[in-house]
Amino acid sequence: MEKKKKNVFVQGAISPEFIANSIAKHQSKTTIGAHDIFLGQVRADIIDDKEVAAIEYTAYEEMANNIFHEIREATFDKFDLSCMHIYHSLGTVKAGEICLFVFVSSAHRKEVFEALHHIVEEIKIKVPVFGKEVFKDDSYQWKVNK
């Protein structure tokens, strides 16, 4: 039986309360010895003398959710994890706000460090999420991942 595919998208910025609630669910699990968190934050980069005010994220949602699910399942197969949360923003996220939240837990710290790095790299390479950098003067350009 195939596992249910979870929608990973959040409209707008991922709030500190959302992050805290996701983490708090795992505090009482006594088999967990380590958690690791990645928070992707929109930077106020200066590009061609213009400051980024926000990024507007769009995606092929069904395709992206399927790829997030594949990354999730492959990571559980590769690493001995207790839990994993992956959330990505859609819509406008202002500079300084969180657009990607990845949280993993395991009995041991080495597992969470390696798994988290693996997940974030897989997301960057494989997931069709696109960002339009909106500058303070309301002009924009499509973000190029580096």
Side-chain angles (χ1 to χ4, degrees), residues 36-51:
D36 203 1
I37 300 166
F38 175 85
L39 300 174
Q41 180 172 309
V42 174
R43 293 184 313 268
D45 286 341
I46 305 295
I47 302 169
D48 297 330
D49 297 323
K50 296 190 281 187
E51 185 176 342

Side-chain angles (χ1 to χ4, degrees), residues 6-10 14 18-27 29 32 35-39 68-69 71-73 75-76 81-88 100-106 112 115-116 119-120 123:
K6 185 177 182 180
N7 181 13
V8 301
F9 292 111
V10 173
I14 301 171
F18 183 90
I19 295 166
N21 290 337
S22 296
I23 294 168
K25 294 175 187 176
H26 302 284
Q27 289 179 319
K29 295 183 180 177
I32 295 173
H35 304 285
D36 203 1
I37 300 166
F38 175 85
L39 300 174
F68 274 117
H69 179 76
I71 291 168
R72 177 184 172 79
E73 294 309 305
T75 304
F76 271 119
L81 298 176
S82 304
C83 77
M84 178 188 322
H85 293 278
I86 303 173
Y87 293 99
H88 199 295
L100 176 61
F101 166 47
V102 182
F103 173 76
V104 293
S105 300
S106 180
V112 297
L116 187 68
I119 293 164
V120 172
I123 290 169

Side-chain angles (χ1 to χ4, degrees), residues 44-62:
D45 286 341
I46 305 295
I47 302 169
D48 297 330
D49 297 323
K50 296 190 281 187
E51 185 176 342
V52 173
I55 297 179
E56 185 180 317
Y57 290 100
T58 59
Y60 297 116
E61 287 186 55
E62 184 176 350

Side-chain angles (χ1 to χ4, degrees), residues 73-139:
E73 294 309 305
T75 304
F76 271 119
D77 288 344
K78 186 173 181 171
F79 299 95
D80 185 20
L81 298 176
S82 304
C83 77
M84 178 188 322
H85 293 278
I86 303 173
Y87 293 99
H88 199 295
S89 294
L90 286 181
T92 302
V93 181
K94 295 177 184 172
E97 294 180 326
I98 303 299
C99 57
L100 176 61
F101 166 47
V102 182
F103 173 76
V104 293
S105 300
S106 180
H108 304 284
R109 70 180 177 271
K110 183 178 180 184
E111 208 77 23
V112 297
F113 294 148
E114 291 174 359
L116 187 68
H117 181 263
H118 171 78
I119 293 164
V120 172
E121 290 303 310
E122 288 288 285
I123 290 169
K124 188 172 185 176
I125 293 167
K126 295 180 178 177
V127 180
V129 173
F130 308 97
K132 182 169 59 175
E133 293 170 313
V134 180
F135 299 104
K136 285 195 170 186
D137 67 359
D138 289 329
S139 65

